[in-house]
Amino acid sequence: MSILGAIEAGGTKFVCGIGNEDGTVVERVSFPTTTPEETMGRVFEFFADKNVSAIGVGSFGPIDPVKGSPTYGSITTTPKPHWSNFNIVNALKERFPVPIGFDTDVNGAALGEYTWGAAQGLDSCLYITIGTGVGAGAVVSGELIHGLSHPEMGHIYVRRHPEDTYEGTCPYHGDCLEGLAAGPSLGKRWGVAGAELTPDHPAWEMEAYYLAQALMNYVLILSPQRIVMGGGVMKQEQLFPMIRKKLQELLAGYVQHPSLGDQIDEFIVPPGLGDNAGLCGALALAKLALAEEAN
Ligand SMILES: Nc1ncnc2c1ncn2[C@@H]1O[C@H](COP(=O)(O)OP(=O)(O)OP(=O)(O)O)[C@@H](O)[C@H]1O
Ligand SMILES: [Zn+2]
């Protein structure tokens, strides 16, 4: 079996790992994201003696994941200092002459859940993370979604909760989904970090209201067979039943399917790969790159 390399390239930290085609991670390291030179130096050092057959990168964005585009492989317009227009794929290729898979962190996580996790055996799934930001990726008919670039499903507009006067944190849109529902918005709205709010706090009803609206839009547009919800905020397990119920209320019976009815507990689920969802996602991108190279 081939040895595969995985890089979860986050805006705060990078996680590098080694694994195999079963989705098993055998070694991992993590370090803070500083400058591209320093951070990639540590990546090169980690993989130098690992003899990997392919490397997958699940990256923070926005990125250019469209093969054939002149800027394919780069992080494009990030406000993060030094990383704008940095081409990760080219940097890796210069060092390691193996297939490199590259996609958004959330497209990677969707592929990982589809390949080894909570969406195994299905044709489609959507993965959404509610963390420092909100992002979602999807597999549809067995393929990751790309287009002009990649979907940005965390920045959709949602109807405002009647009792919410908070302006929203998104630097681009103010009160888009990410602005109203990502982890930092909880702290700013309620004056206490999300992790400190008790499970019966009204914050969670509002949070579920926003997330259920987002899920309704994804159901109506993509019709995924399963929705996997991860990220720091979804550690609040009470959100799952609240989101399922609100989604059913919002859909109001318009889309008829058992997954939206009495089987909704299996439709909206936590990551099957747990806290490894991100790294396994990158591993799945490596596996895909290796398979594409063979074709
Ligand atoms: N138990 C918790 N309950 C509620 N919010 C939490 C909890 N744990 C973490 N958070 C919030 O989740 C956010 C961090 O999310 P996460 O751990 O997914 O990190 P991240 O990788 O930085 O996020 P992103 O994927 O957006 O880059 C913070 O805003 C934090 O306040
Ligand atoms: Zn936004």
Side-chain angles (χ1 to χ4, degrees):
M1 205 160 9
S2 308
I3 301 169
L4 302 175
I7 305 173
E8 189 183 350
T12 317
K13 67 177 196 303
F14 265 51
V15 185
C16 293
I18 300 294
N20 61 37
E21 290 170 70
D22 292 343
T24 312
V25 175
V26 292
E27 192 184 336
R28 65 190 283 164
V29 294
S30 159
F31 39 84
T33 311
T34 56
T35 61
E37 291 69 29
E38 188 181 4
T39 311
M40 293 309 288
R42 297 188 72 165
V43 171
F44 297 153
E45 207 177 301
F46 176 75
F47 287 113
D49 58 354
K50 301 293 192 294
N51 207 15
V52 292
S53 302
I55 300 175
V57 186
S59 179
F60 71 102
I63 63 170
D64 183 352
V66 180
K67 286 187 187 137
S69 152
T71 51
Y72 169 74
S74 58
I75 289 166
T76 55
T77 54
T78 179
K80 194 171 172 60
H82 315 295
W83 287 86
S84 212
N85 302 316
F86 178 74
N87 196 310
I88 297 197
V89 171
N90 288 352
L92 286 167
K93 273 208 173 296
E94 274 174 25
R95 210 63 181 225
F96 306 104
V98 297
I100 311 285
F102 179 65
D103 218 311
T104 59
D105 43 8
V106 282
N107 257 354
L111 186 67
E113 291 292 328
Y114 166 84
T115 312
W116 302 301
Q120 273 179 87
L122 304 177
D123 292 326
S124 63
C125 73
L126 183 136
Y127 179 93
I128 179 169
T129 178
I130 301 99
T132 308
V134 177
V139 173
V140 174
S141 304
E143 303 269 348
L144 287 167
I145 307 188
H146 300 126
L148 297 173
S149 64
H150 53 83
E152 281 285 3
M153 294 187 262
H155 292 266
I156 59 173
Y157 283 107
V158 286
R159 194 182 286 172
R160 195 172 258 279
H161 190 285
E163 281 154 35
D164 190 9
T165 54
Y166 178 58
E167 61 190 359
T169 52
C170 179
Y172 293 90
H173 318 114
D175 62 355
C176 67
L177 175 68
E178 176 171 300
L180 292 174
S185 76
L186 287 164
K188 296 215 169 97
R189 181 187 291 113
W190 302 102
V192 194
E196 309 300 323
L197 295 165
T198 55
D200 58 355
H201 193 281
W204 305 118
E205 190 272 328
M206 195 177 278
E207 183 72 10
Y209 176 80
Y210 290 133
L211 294 174
Q213 288 186 63
L215 265 47
M216 165 143 167
N217 289 327
Y218 307 148
V219 166
L220 294 175
I221 293 170
L222 292 175
S223 205
Q225 289 165 314
R226 189 155 295 160
I227 294 181
V228 182
M229 302 189 79
V233 174
M234 293 311 297
K235 300 271 179 201
Q236 298 286 334
E237 289 175 11
Q238 74 280 8
L239 279 172
F240 281 92
M242 294 168 89
I243 292 166
R244 291 178 187 127
K245 184 159 169 278
K246 280 195 192 294
L247 175 61
Q248 287 177 321
E249 284 167 12
L250 288 168
L251 284 168
Y254 180 65
V255 185
Q256 286 289 328
H257 191 282
S259 287
L260 301 167
D262 59 5
Q263 292 171 20
I264 197 155
D265 291 1
E266 289 87 60
F267 177 64
I268 298 173
V269 296
L273 300 168
D275 291 338
N276 262 342
L279 194 60
C280 284
L283 201 61
L285 293 170
K287 184 178 170 178
L288 180 65
L290 192 63
E292 283 175 350
E293 183 92 343
N295 282 331

